[in-house]
């Protein structure tokens, strides 16, 4: 899996995955990740928007039998987070006791390691969400 | 307009076929279907399959299977629509017959999943999700369905116990099906005591990783007569519909509506001239118990939010108003992903011929619904007794 040519595959999304760059169409529909056509109204006039990274958990699970490549991290919480700008994002939760996760829990984005390949491979980083620090 | 009828159906038992490869399974099912129709050649072959490349390093399944089944230099291709590949392949076969370009078409659905290591199998199945925005984060298919399950339970106040009833029903019917992987009835406690795979989804809420192949032969009534196939064997493909939805779950307009199934069902019902109340049985895609509930709602058998209520009220059993999973469904018969839609078709044919091991009395119209992805690619087919 860890071949040099895979670097470009992950690198091309670093703006979305490090900075949560999404899209906002001329009619104000916000989506993530950015698309060339607005999924709500079909407008092709879409500009970039940086999302705040604050949102709330609308559903979650604990992944106990992950796809290969993620065995080291199991079990881990995975959630659907509704961002304050509207779009829903799928991501792992971090720095949280699984027992404390609940509907509507307020979370914020944080950049974390997603996974490693073999020792000669790349390390993937991206967004996860943690409970808002009080 | 031409009409399409199924004149032959065949399958292999679903299970862990350590001694058989993908081609063995596909050829066995295909020859069974041809023998059932009493024919020895077809005009073309459509193969429903999802992920043969990663699972067994084999693509070009059209050539492989037509070659090994001795079908000669016919056109043959693989049709892929994730777990709905089988349903889609049946539709492509029917389209070829209805168009008039081909008269006798074979469809085979096949998947060989047990040659892979389990965590790799989990990865390959997740290829039907969005690789960059779902699999990237470690989402398995089970995990995505678990997110829907928790949301569904919260929205309508259902419990894990309520959804377990779908698994219990599937096993009750599968117990009588000689081709099913699990021929054992289970209780609600069996489901509740099984380990969590992705909370709140448990092992017994999910269909198994397995191998299998199923096949049907499609032609016109005129050609069926010419070939001398007795009319008792004919089953009409009365309606079909297919639609997509967003590939990633997070982009879904409403997590609790299988919009693609709704759109596909509307098309299929319109083509067949039926309404949900006319349908005698539903073979829905219960890869996960929550999907059976959402499917019943999308197909119009239950109102939104009341799919699981049908199970609670005992309305999904063979002798009730909305029988589902008459031969075990994906849960008990097994779910060799790209083959499932064709298994559903074969089972609908057996029901409508009156040959099913758990027969729905006087069945005249049956519906199959086959889901690819977490609801992203769905086929609905309507079959009618001739």
């Amino acid at each position: 899996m860890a071949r040099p040519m895979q670097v470009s595959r992950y690198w091309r999304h670093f703006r979305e995955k490090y900075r949560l760059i999404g899209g906002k169409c001329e009619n104000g529909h916000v989506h993530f990740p950015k698309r060339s056509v607005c999924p709500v109204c079909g407008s092709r006039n879409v500009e970039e928007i940086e999302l705040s990274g604050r949102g709330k958990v609308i559903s979650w699970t604990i992944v106990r039998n992950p796809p290969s490549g993620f065995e080291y991290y199991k079990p881990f919480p995975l959630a659907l987070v509704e961002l304050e700008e509207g779009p829903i994002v799928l991501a792992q939760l971090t720095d949280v006791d699984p027992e404390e996760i609940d509907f509507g829990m307020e979370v914020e984005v944080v950049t974390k390691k997603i996974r490693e390949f073999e020792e000669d491979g790349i390390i993937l980083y991206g967004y996860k969400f943690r409970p808002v620090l009080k | 307009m031409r009409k399409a009828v199924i004149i032959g159906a065949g399958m292999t038992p679903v299970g862990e076929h350590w001694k058989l490869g993908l081609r063995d399974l596909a050829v066995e099912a295909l020859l069974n279907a041809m023998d059932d129709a009493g024919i020895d050649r077809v005009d073309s072959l459509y193969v429903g399959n999802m992920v043969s490349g990663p699972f067994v390093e084999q693509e070009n399944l059209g050539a492989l299977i037509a070659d090994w089944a001795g079908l000669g230099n016919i056109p043959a291709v693989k049709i892929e629509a994730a777990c709905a590949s089988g349903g889609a392949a049946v539709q492509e076969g029917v389209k070829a017959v209805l168009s008039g370009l081909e008269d006798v078409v074979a469809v085979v659905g096949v998947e060989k999943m047990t040659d892979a290591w389990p965590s790799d199998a989990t990865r390959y199945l997740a290829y039907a999700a969005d690789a960059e925005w779902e699999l990237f984060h470690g989402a398995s298919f089970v995990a995505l369905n678990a997110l829907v399950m928790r949301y569904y339970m919260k929205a309508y106040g259902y419990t894990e116990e309520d959804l377990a009833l779908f698994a219990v029903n599937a096993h009750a019917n599968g117990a009588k099906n000689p081709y099913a992987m699990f021929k054992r009835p289970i209780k609600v406690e069996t489901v509740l005591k099984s380990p969590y795979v992705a909370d709140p989804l448990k092992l017994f809420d999910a269909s198994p990783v397995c191998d299998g192949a199923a096949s049907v032969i499609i032609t016109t009534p005129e050609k069926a007569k010419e070939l001398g196939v007795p009319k008792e064997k004919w089953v009409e493909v009365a309606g079909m519909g297919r639609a997509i939805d967003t590939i990633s779950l997070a982009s879904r307009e409403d997590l609790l509506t299988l919009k693609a199934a709704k759109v596909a069902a509307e098309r299929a019902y319109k083509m067949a001239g039926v309404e949900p109340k006319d349908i005698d049985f539903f073979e829905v895609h219960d890869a996960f118990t929550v999907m059976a509930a959402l499917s019943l709602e999308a197909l119009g058998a239950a109102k939104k939010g009341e799919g699981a209520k049908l199970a609670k009220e005992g309305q999904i059993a063979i002798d009730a108003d909305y029988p589902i999973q008459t031969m075990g469904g994906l849960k008990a018969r097994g779910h060799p992903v790209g083959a499932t839609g064709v298994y559903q078709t074969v089972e609908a044919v057996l029901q409508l011929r009156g040959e099913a091991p758990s027969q729905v009395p006087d069945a005249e119209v049956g519906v199959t619904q086959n889901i690819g992805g977490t609801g992203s690619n769905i086929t609905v087919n309507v079959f009618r007794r001739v």
Side-chain angles (χ1 to χ4, degrees), chain B residues 111-363:
Chain B
E111 204 78 56
K112 176 72 195 168
M113 302 167 75
T114 64
D115 284 356
W117 195 250
S119 64
D120 283 334
T122 301
R123 166 163 289 270
Y124 304 153
L125 292 172
Y127 290 174
D130 188 320
E132 312 280 15
W133 309 102
E134 293 181 325
L135 181 55
F136 177 89
H137 296 281
S140 66
F141 235 78
V142 184
L144 294 170
N145 281 277
L147 291 168
V148 176
M149 182 174 169
R150 192 187 296 274
Y151 198 70
Y152 183 80
M153 285 161 51
K154 166 77 173 171
Y156 304 117
Y158 291 119
T159 61
E160 294 178 29
E161 202 169 342
D162 296 335
L163 290 173
L165 294 169
F166 286 104
V168 173
N169 174 69
H171 275 259
N173 295 338
K176 295 175 188 159
N177 175 8
Y179 293 89
M181 181 162 178
F182 303 124
K183 300 183 202 64
R184 204 184 281 184
I186 58 166
K187 294 177 177 163
V188 168
E189 297 79 66
T190 324
V191 183
L192 297 181
K193 279 182 189 161
S194 66
Y196 284 111
V197 186
D199 323 29
L201 200 155
K202 297 160 295 300
L203 188 66
F204 271 65
D205 284 303
S207 52
V209 165
C210 53
D211 312 319
S215 176
V216 289
I217 310 295
I218 305 160
T219 188
T220 62
E222 295 76 23
K223 188 74 184 176
K225 210 175 285 175
E226 194 186 310
L227 290 167
V229 183
K231 215 167 173 182
E232 305 87 74
K233 288 216 154 150
W234 304 5
V235 167
E236 185 192 354
V237 187
M240 5 184 251
R242 183 155 92 222
I244 66 112
D245 201 342
T246 62
I247 186 158
S248 65
L249 193 61
S251 308
R252 217 49 67 77
E253 189 187 328
D254 173 7
L255 279 175
L256 299 180
T257 299
L258 289 175
K259 186 82 183 289
K262 231 176 149 165
V263 173
E266 276 161 17
R267 287 180 189 157
Y269 292 175
K270 193 178 170 204
M271 182 174 165
V274 299
E275 292 176 41
K277 65 173 172 52
D278 306 323
I279 297 160
D280 298 311
F281 62 91
F282 296 83
E283 296 300 332
V284 302
H285 193 97
D286 61 334
F288 305 97
T289 48
V290 67
M291 281 297 143
L294 288 175
S295 297
L296 285 170
E297 296 170 19
L299 292 173
K303 286 186 193 141
K304 189 167 159 66
E306 296 187 356
K309 208 171 138 197
L310 281 192
K312 281 178 85 170
E313 291 172 349
Q315 297 201 57
I316 59 170
I318 289 286
D319 53 359
D321 283 348
Y322 299 95
I324 69 167
Q325 320 310 70
T326 63
M327 288 178 70
L330 285 61
K331 174 70 193 78
R333 174 238 295 131
H335 179 30
V337 288
T340 290
V342 189
Y343 271 100
Q344 292 176 322
T345 306
V346 169
E347 290 163 358
V349 166
L350 295 180
Q351 281 291 351
L352 295 168
R353 284 183 186 171
E355 296 171 3
S358 305
Q359 184 64 43
V360 175
D362 304 316

Side-chain angles (χ1 to χ4, degrees), chain B residues 79-100:
Chain B
I79 305 294
E80 186 269 312
C83 297
S85 299
V90 170
Q91 294 190 345
E92 294 308 307
V94 172
K95 278 158 76 177
V97 167
L98 293 181
S99 76

Side-chain angles (χ1 to χ4, degrees), chain B residues 2 5 7-8 34 37 39-46 71 74-75 93 96-98 100-107 216-220 222-224 226-227 229:
Chain B
R2 282 163 60 113
V5 290
I7 54 166
M34 290 173 70
I39 58 171
D40 57 10
R41 47 186 300 274
V42 296
D43 296 334
S44 70
L45 172 70
Y46 294 86
L71 300 182
I74 59 164
V97 167
L98 293 181
L101 279 174
E102 293 160 8
D103 283 333
V104 186
V105 168
V107 175
V216 289
I217 310 295
I218 305 160
T219 188
T220 62
E222 295 76 23
K223 188 74 184 176
E226 194 186 310
L227 290 167
V229 183

